[in-house]
């Protein structure tokens, strides 16, 4: 029914545009001059119909689940949810939703079956009501905008105001989304630090985010020291950048300065194809090809190598990052003014000297941007690490050992139906907050480098 509502909206936008367009043409055909072109009258009707109705549908879909869930909770037998924690209530509602979706495990209680039936009925009613209100709203807006087709009506200014409002709104949404992300991280991280001391998390050397399963269980209190996790992240990212940076830069320099047009026409698209390969494919390549090769080579040398190694994950991740660095470096070199290159060659510098002493320093801002994008991608990569490096957090900088990363642990902690009322799940937000701060520091450092060199070469 949601798709049907959007189809109704699309049809209403087209109808409103055509009606106003024809009305404007009819007035113009009668010899009366219009202030705006005919297309602006049609566009005004289309935008006035589209924007309010679209936001109405989105708002309805956002609030629908919360309202229906509140109605379901209110309709449960008295005392059902009394004394239960937030996580337990969420598990009950999740089971009711599963039953409503036809996924029944075991023999649920009768009140859960009744609640599931009520949930299905409320969803159907809500969808039907959404369609009816969408039809009514679009019809009213079409009739309203149809009356605006007059010679003195400034349709062009109206369209421009709506478009300007949409752009301002999108920019505002981006700002508030960023604020919301940071705010949610800060709030949940604060809750985590109410349960786990800040120093234990920041300086702890053991990461075992377990919680007791029973109230009388003494063991498994958990250890939430982040150092092993971030150390593993740095090890894999370092290996990846050691592979990606020289290969990416040298390939960009070769393609831009030395390669013939035929070679560039072949190599450039191949590099871009590497950027579009799914990370799970790289993970398969790491675990099926790179990791066995490393183990075989280590066995011949007598080196102890773990089945899952940071080296395998880092090498494959480095291959994945080569297109990013190469593309940014190539664009940065192409943006250097031709006069700098010609002037260097005219003064007797060789091509290698021109590249190393003129082009490369002038292209530093773009190159740094590409490298930092690759660093962010390496820090945030999950699938390759899960498949090739493992899930165990260790205090080691040995790339031949198995390690884990921040993003892998965040995913692991939040798998399944989770309730954010235990240190185990809240630890994911603490990891995310520290990762956010670390990335922010890297970006600030990069901006300083870019500004420094731009002041020299602008």
């Amino acid at each position: 029914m949601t798709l049907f509502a959007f189809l109704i909206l699309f049809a209403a936008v087209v109808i409103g545009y055509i009606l106003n367009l024809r009305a404007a043409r009819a007035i113009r055909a009668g010899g009366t001059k219009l202030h705006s072109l005919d297309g602006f009258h049609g566009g005004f009707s289309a935008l006035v119909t589209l924007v309010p109705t679209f936001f109405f549908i989105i708002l309805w879909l956002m609030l629908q689940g919360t309202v229906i869930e509140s109605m379901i909770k209110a309709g449960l037998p008295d005392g059902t949810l009394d004394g239960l924690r937030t996580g337990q209530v969420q598990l009950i509602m999740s089971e009711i939703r599963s039953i409503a979706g036809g996924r029944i495990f075991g023999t649920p209680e009768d009140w859960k079956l009744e609640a599931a039936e009520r949930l299905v009925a409320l969803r159907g009613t809500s969808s039907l009501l959404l369609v009816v209100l969408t039809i009514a709203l679009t019809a009213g807006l079409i009739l309203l905008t149809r009356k605006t087709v007059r010679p003195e009506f400034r349709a062009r200014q109206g369209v421009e105001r709506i478009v300007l409002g949409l752009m301002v709104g999108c920019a505002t949404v981006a700002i508030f989304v960023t604020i919301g992300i940071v705010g949610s991280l800060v709030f949940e991280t604060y809750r985590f630090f109410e349960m786990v001391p800040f120093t234990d998390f920041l300086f702890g050397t053991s990461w075992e985010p377990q919680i007791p399963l029973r109230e009388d269980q003494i063991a498994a209190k958990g250890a939430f020291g982040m150092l092993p996790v971030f150390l593993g992240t740095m090890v894999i990212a370092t290996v990846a950048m050691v592979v990606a940076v020289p290969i990416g830069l040298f390939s960009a320099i070769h393609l831009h300065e030395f390669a013939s047009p035929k070679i560039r026409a072949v190599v450039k698209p191949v590099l871009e194809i590497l950027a579009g390969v799914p990370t799970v494919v790289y993970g398969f390549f790491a675990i099926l090809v790179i990791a066995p090769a490393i183990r075989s080579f280590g066995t011949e040398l007598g080196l102890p190598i773990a089945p899952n190694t940071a080296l395998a994950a880092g090498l494959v991740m480095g291959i994945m990052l080569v297109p990013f660095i190469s593309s940014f470096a190539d664009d940065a070199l192409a943006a250097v003014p031709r006069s700098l290159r010609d002037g260097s060659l005219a003064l007797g510098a060789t091509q290698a000297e021109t590249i190393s002493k003129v082009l490369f320093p002038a292209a530093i801002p773009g190159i740094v941007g590409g490298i930092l994008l690759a660093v962010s991608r390496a820090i945030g990569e999950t699938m390759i690490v899960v498949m090739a490096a493992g899930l165990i957090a260790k205090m080691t900088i040995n790339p031949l050992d198995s390690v884990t990363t921040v993003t892998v642990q965040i995913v692991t902690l939040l798998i399944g139906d989770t309730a954010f009322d235990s240190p185990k799940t809240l630890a994911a937000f603490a990891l995310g907050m520290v990762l956010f701060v670390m990335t922010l520091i890297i970006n600030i450092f990069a901006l300083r480098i870019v500004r420094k060199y731009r002041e020299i070469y602008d």
Side-chain angles (χ1 to χ4, degrees), residues 283-311:
F284 281 125
F285 178 67
I287 196 172
L288 296 177
V289 178
I290 302 299
I294 292 175
R295 286 197 299 270
S296 300
F297 185 71
T299 301
E300 294 179 359
L301 298 179
L303 296 175
I305 300 178
N308 296 318
T309 66
L311 183 60

Side-chain angles (χ1 to χ4, degrees), residues 323-401:
F324 292 93
I325 298 177
S326 177
S327 178
F328 271 83
D330 186 32
D331 294 340
L333 291 171
V336 176
R338 183 75 185 181
S339 58
L340 291 178
R341 180 187 291 102
D342 294 342
S344 175
L345 295 174
L347 290 173
T350 64
Q351 190 172 12
E353 290 173 338
T354 301
I355 293 171
S356 61
K357 296 182 179 181
V358 177
L359 298 183
F360 192 80
I364 278 292
I367 293 173
V368 169
I371 292 175
L372 286 173
L373 177 63
V375 171
S376 300
R377 182 73 184 271
I379 292 175
E381 178 55 42
T382 303
M383 185 58 66
I384 296 176
V385 181
V386 170
M387 300 178 69
L391 301 173
I392 302 174
K394 294 182 179 180
M395 279 291 295
T396 179
I397 58 173
N398 181 11
L400 301 180
D401 206 348

Side-chain angles (χ1 to χ4, degrees), residues 115-283:
E117 293 177 359
R118 207 160 52 248
L119 177 60
V120 173
L122 287 174
R123 284 176 176 174
T125 303
S126 175
S127 300
L128 180 60
L129 190 59
L130 173 62
V131 171
V132 172
L133 292 177
T134 300
I135 294 174
L137 181 59
T138 52
L141 291 173
I142 289 174
L143 294 176
L144 180 65
T145 55
R146 176 64 181 80
K147 297 178 180 179
T148 63
V149 184
R150 301 187 304 271
E152 68 276 7
F153 180 66
R154 299 174 179 269
R156 179 174 65 84
Q157 284 81 352
V159 170
E160 291 176 351
R161 283 195 300 269
I162 295 174
V163 173
L164 178 62
L166 287 175
M167 291 189 290
V168 173
C170 291
T172 305
V173 167
I175 294 173
F176 279 101
V177 166
T178 304
I179 294 174
I181 292 173
V182 176
S184 61
L185 279 177
V186 171
F187 177 73
E188 298 297 343
T189 302
Y190 176 77
R191 290 181 59 196
F192 171 76
F193 287 132
E194 287 182 334
M195 303 177 186
V196 177
F198 177 77
T199 54
D200 290 355
F201 173 76
L202 201 60
F203 304 107
T205 58
S206 178
W207 177 261
E208 295 178 2
Q210 304 299 325
I211 56 175
L213 301 178
R214 303 185 310 273
E215 294 182 358
D216 59 343
Q217 188 174 351
I218 299 175
K221 292 182 179 180
F224 297 93
M226 73 167 195
L227 289 182
V229 180
F230 277 87
L231 191 60
T233 303
M234 292 298 101
V235 169
I236 293 180
T238 301
V239 173
M241 298 312 297
V242 167
V243 174
V245 171
I247 296 178
L249 290 181
F250 290 153
S251 62
I253 293 172
H254 174 73
L255 290 175
H256 188 269
E257 295 294 327
F258 299 101
S260 64
K262 292 183 179 180
I263 295 178
R264 180 181 173 85
V266 174
V267 176
K268 185 74 172 177
V270 171
L271 284 175
E272 293 175 353
I273 289 174
L274 283 178
V277 175
T279 55
V280 66
V281 176
Y282 283 110

Side-chain angles (χ1 to χ4, degrees), residues 403-458:
V403 297
T404 189
T405 62
V406 174
T407 53
V408 170
Q409 288 302 310
I410 291 174
V411 172
T412 305
L413 293 171
L414 298 181
I415 287 177
D417 294 327
T418 57
F420 302 136
D421 57 358
S422 67
K424 179 179 180 180
T425 51
L426 292 175
F429 294 94
L431 291 175
M433 188 65 197
V434 178
L435 186 63
F436 173 79
V437 172
M438 184 174 65
T439 307
L440 181 63
I441 293 173
I442 293 175
N443 290 336
I444 293 174
F445 178 71
L447 287 175
R448 291 179 65 88
I449 295 177
V450 170
R451 288 173 181 172
K452 176 181 177 182
Y453 281 93
R454 277 182 178 169
E455 290 175 358
I456 296 175
Y457 291 101
D458 275 352

Side-chain angles (χ1 to χ4, degrees), residues 87-99:
Q88 294 172 321
V89 174
Q90 291 179 355
L91 289 176
I92 291 176
M93 296 306 300
S94 177
E95 184 178 356
I96 293 174
R97 287 192 293 268
S98 298
I99 296 172

Side-chain angles (χ1 to χ4, degrees), residues 4 80 184 212:
F4 189 50
T80 302
S184 61

